[in-house]
């Protein structure tokens, strides 16, 4: 049987992974990768840390070289080669050698598109001034390093406070630059619910990063001494030696559009669950494709390395005739912001509201390992779940330790359609320095399970604040010890410490709902159980005072 010719466009996460898997599945196929840039298979996720100096050796970012691909996998790599067009009828592509300018045609039996996504760069005045960069490739970071060294830069402005913007802000700061971070929206990390990113504001301020929310960049001007004036919509201007644009990315669908492949409703290449495009001979993976959201079932663009790598493996298997299927993406992501970690998986409240999916939510603030063992840190964890059957719809967490481990557990639970009752039963690692006999995951399951079993009615501060603003503040009892409550009393609440509750029931109304709260939601749960069994209508405010603080922004 003649060997197949498989051509791949793009040689980083999706393209390189797919090529390597293809070789393992088909020893005889001819496999070529065409990559516009100078490097293949480099670690884009490490780029901010190379700028910051945590990764010092550039070579460390090259996961595999063209020589390794040739020697080990018998895969031919053409770097500095850009694929210009696809002729689907003739099954050929047109490729330009960017060093010589020559253009060749290459035929394929199967074509895989892994062109990634391009950083968003709006057409602002002055955007092409020297010193303004986006970070996508190793060469981009080389340019940033050269520029900072050349101008002996001390001031950086980062535009956009998504995860790449936050990582760049941290890494510039670690490098000793003064950093201003500008964000158009009223929160950082828009892929998380606003209250869950509240600890980031203190952390950025503690580390000296000057964050400005609701600050949209409208243009750039040359300033004195080759500095850049960054202009914003609220009239405030900032001066910078170097500017990083981190406004997110959009799928690179130029080739797909040129050859008439179907594009999805969100602008990514449309693929089936085997990563096949509307042309059965062409597959596509990674940031360029539109996938199905695991939770909502709706189309989604999820530009992350994990999905790109998994899709690449599935595309390779499908190309080789295996019955492999992509389960969809759920946006599992983690970001470090100095000493904080934020992570998420599944849907946020915003996404569920948009998809018209009913949900209940809980907050917990458990210690990441046994509280008696030195170094215990609280993890603020939010879980969104279906009110009818308890299916977990989304999870977000923030803290200083143990955040990624919990979200990883929840990510698997979400993918498998598990419920909050499964979290109650999860058997997880425990020794004092690693976890607790009741892990934060179990605790979250208990809290949500208690609600679904009707043991306690839930409430949350976001609703409390809406009611308070309408002068309808619920009758709210703070059951923390007197001294603690006095130090951080919430206006409109009364304090009855848990130990006094049974003897002071006559102070409580029987004709209206009582909302109870404490430090993190556990003592108030005990209070809610007492009151319920004494015939009161009661709700427990999830997450207690710790959640109240997070809702303050
Ligand atoms: P890419 O890896 O971008 O590769 C696409 C390649 O195709 C590019 O090299 C491009 O030059 C080439 N190409 C495009 N068009 C052509 C053409 N016509 N001809 C030839 N070649 C072409 N994800 C995470 O999950 N965690 C992280 O911590 C994380 N950090 C990141 C940090 C940064 C700074 C960046 C930029 C991304 C980060 N990501 C992270 C995202 C992750 O890198 C991407 O999701 C992943 O690389 C997507 O893989 P891909 O193969 O689709 O695209």
């Amino acid at each position: 049987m003649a060997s197949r010719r498989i051509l791949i466009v793009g040689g980083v996460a999706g393209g390189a992974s797919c090529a390597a898997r293809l070789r393992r599945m088909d020893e005889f196929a001819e496999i070529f990768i065409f990559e516009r840039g100078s490097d293949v298979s480099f670690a884009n996720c490490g780029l901010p840390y190379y700028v910051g100096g945590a990764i010092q050796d550039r070579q460390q970012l090259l996961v595999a070289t063209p020589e390794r691909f040739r020697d080990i996998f018998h895969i031919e790599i053409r770097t500095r080669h850009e694929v210009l067009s696809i002729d689907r009828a003739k099954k050929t592509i047109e490729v330009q050698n960017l060093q010589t300018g020559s253009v060749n045609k290459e035929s394929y039996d199967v074509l895989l598109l892994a062109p990634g996504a391009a950083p968003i760069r709006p057409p602002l005045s002055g955007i092409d001034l020297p010193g303004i960069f986006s970070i996508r490739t190793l060469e981009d970071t080389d340019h940033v390093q050269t520029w900072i060294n050349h101008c002996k830069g001390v001031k950086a402005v980062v535009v956009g406070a998504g995860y790449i913007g936050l990582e760049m802000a941290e890494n510039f700061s670690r490098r000793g630059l003064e950093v201003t971070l500008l964000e158009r929206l009223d929160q950082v990390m828009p892929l998380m619910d606003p209250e869950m990113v509240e600890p980031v504001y203190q952390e950025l301020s503690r580390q000296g990063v000057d964050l400005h929310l609701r600050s949209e960049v409208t243009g750039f001007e040359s300033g004195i001494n080759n500095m850049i004036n960054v202009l914003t919509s609220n009239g405030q201007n900032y001066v910078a030696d170097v500017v990083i644009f981190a406004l997110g990315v959009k799928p690179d669908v130029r080739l797909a559009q040129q050859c008439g492949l179907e594009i999805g409703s969100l602008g990514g290449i449309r693929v089936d669950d085997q990563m096949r495009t509307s042309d059965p001979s062409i597959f596509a993976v990674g940031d360029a494709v539109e996938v199905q959201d695991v939770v909502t079932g709706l189309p989604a663009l999820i530009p992350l390395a994990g999905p790109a790598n998994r899709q690449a493996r599935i595309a390779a298997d499908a190309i080789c005739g295996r019955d492999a299927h992509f389960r969809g993406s759920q946006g599992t992501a983690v970001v470090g912001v100095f000493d904080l970690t934020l992570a998420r998986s599944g849907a946020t409240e915003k996404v569920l509201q948009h998809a018209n999916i009913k949900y209940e939510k809980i907050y917990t603030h458990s210690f990441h390992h046994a509280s008696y063992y030195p170094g215990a840190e609280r993890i603020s964890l939010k879980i969104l779940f279906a009110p009818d059957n308890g299916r977990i719809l989304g999870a977000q967490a923030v803290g200083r330790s143990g955040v990624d481990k919990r979200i990883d557990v929840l990510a698997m639970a979400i993918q498998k359609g598990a419920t909050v009752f499964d979290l109650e039963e999860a058997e997880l690692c425990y020794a004092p320095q690693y976890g607790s006999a009741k892990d934060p995951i179990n605790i979250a399951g208990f809290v949500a399970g208690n609600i679904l079993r009707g043991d306690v009615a839930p409430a949350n501060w976001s609703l409390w604040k809406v009611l308070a603003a309408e002068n309808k503040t619920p009758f709210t009892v703070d059951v923390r010890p007197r001294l603690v409550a006095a130090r951080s009393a919430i206006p409109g609440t009364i304090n009855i410490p848990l130990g006094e509750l049974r003897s002071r029931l006559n102070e409580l109304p029987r004709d209206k709902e009582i909302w109870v709260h404490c430090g993190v939601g556990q003592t108030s749960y005990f209070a809610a159980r007492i009151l319920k069994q004494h015939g009161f209508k009661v709700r427990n405010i999830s997450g207690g005072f710790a959640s109240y603080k997070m809702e303050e922004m």
Side-chain angles (χ1 to χ4, degrees), residues 10 12-14 34-36 44-45 81 83 114-116 135 163 286-287 303-305:
V12 190
F34 298 94
E35 168 54 52
R36 183 172 50 200
N44 352 32
C45 310
H81 278 66
V83 176
I135 299 282
Y163 77 92
D287 289 1
L304 289 169

Side-chain angles (χ1 to χ4, degrees), residues 9-15 34-37 39 42 44-48 81-84 114-117 135-137 163-164 167-168 252 254-255 285-288 302-308 332 334:
V9 184
V12 190
F34 298 94
E35 168 54 52
R36 183 172 50 200
D39 307 289
F42 64 88
N44 352 32
C45 310
L47 297 179
H81 278 66
E82 177 162 9
V83 176
L84 301 177
I135 299 282
R136 183 187 186 187
T137 64
Y163 77 92
I164 293 180
E167 288 178 353
M168 287 308 299
D252 186 339
R254 196 185 55 79
L255 283 173
V285 299
D287 289 1
I302 301 194
L304 289 169
T332 307
V334 62

